[in-house]
Amino acid sequence: MTKLEDHLEGIINIFHQYSIRLGHYDTLIKRELKQLITKELPNTLKNTKDQATIDKIFQDLDANQDGQVSFKEFVVLVTDVLITAHDNIHKE
C-alpha cells in the first residue's frame, strides 16, 4: 500500500472508530462528531469545546438534514481541513 493509500485508509478507520453506535458504522451523530473533532483535530479546528461551533459544523456537514453525518458528508470536513492546511503551508 502506498503512503497516500495508507493515509486514506486511516481517515476511514478514524471515522469508523467514532461511529460506534451498534449497526450505525457509516454515520456520526452530533456527540460522535464532537468527540472525533475534539480528539483528532484539536490543533486544526478552533473553538471545538464551544457547543455552538460544533452545532454549526454539524449543521453544515449534514447536507440532507437527517440528523447524522454520513462518511460522504464527513469527507467535506476532511477536504476543508486539507485545503486550509495546504494554504497555511504556503503562508509559512
Side-chain angles (χ1 to χ4, degrees):
M1 187 177 294
T2 69
K3 190 172 184 178
L4 179 57
E5 291 168 332
D6 188 46
H7 289 294
L8 293 172
E9 184 176 322
I11 292 169
I12 294 166
N13 290 338
I14 291 292
F15 180 86
H16 286 150
Q17 178 182 335
Y18 289 91
S19 61
I20 55 176
R21 291 167 294 121
L22 187 59
H24 295 277
Y25 295 111
D26 288 325
T27 61
L28 297 168
I29 57 173
K30 193 179 295 184
R31 174 180 44 82
E32 294 166 338
L33 181 67
K34 180 179 181 178
Q35 288 175 338
L36 186 155
I37 288 171
T38 56
K39 290 184 181 177
E40 303 296 335
L41 298 169
N43 303 310
T44 305
L45 297 178
K46 304 299 179 207
N47 301 321
T48 58
K49 296 191 188 270
D50 176 40
Q51 189 60 45
T53 299
I54 296 297
D55 291 345
K56 175 75 169 120
I57 292 170
F58 190 87
Q59 180 182 354
D60 290 348
L61 294 177
D62 186 14
N64 64 356
Q65 299 180 339
D66 67 350
Q68 304 177 81
V69 172
S70 67
F71 184 76
K72 186 174 182 177
E73 292 168 329
F74 172 72
V75 170
V76 172
L77 175 65
V78 174
T79 301
D80 289 345
V81 168
L82 281 170
I83 290 168
T84 300
H86 179 259
D87 291 346
N88 288 340
I89 286 171
H90 288 288
K91 289 178 184 175
E92 296 175 356

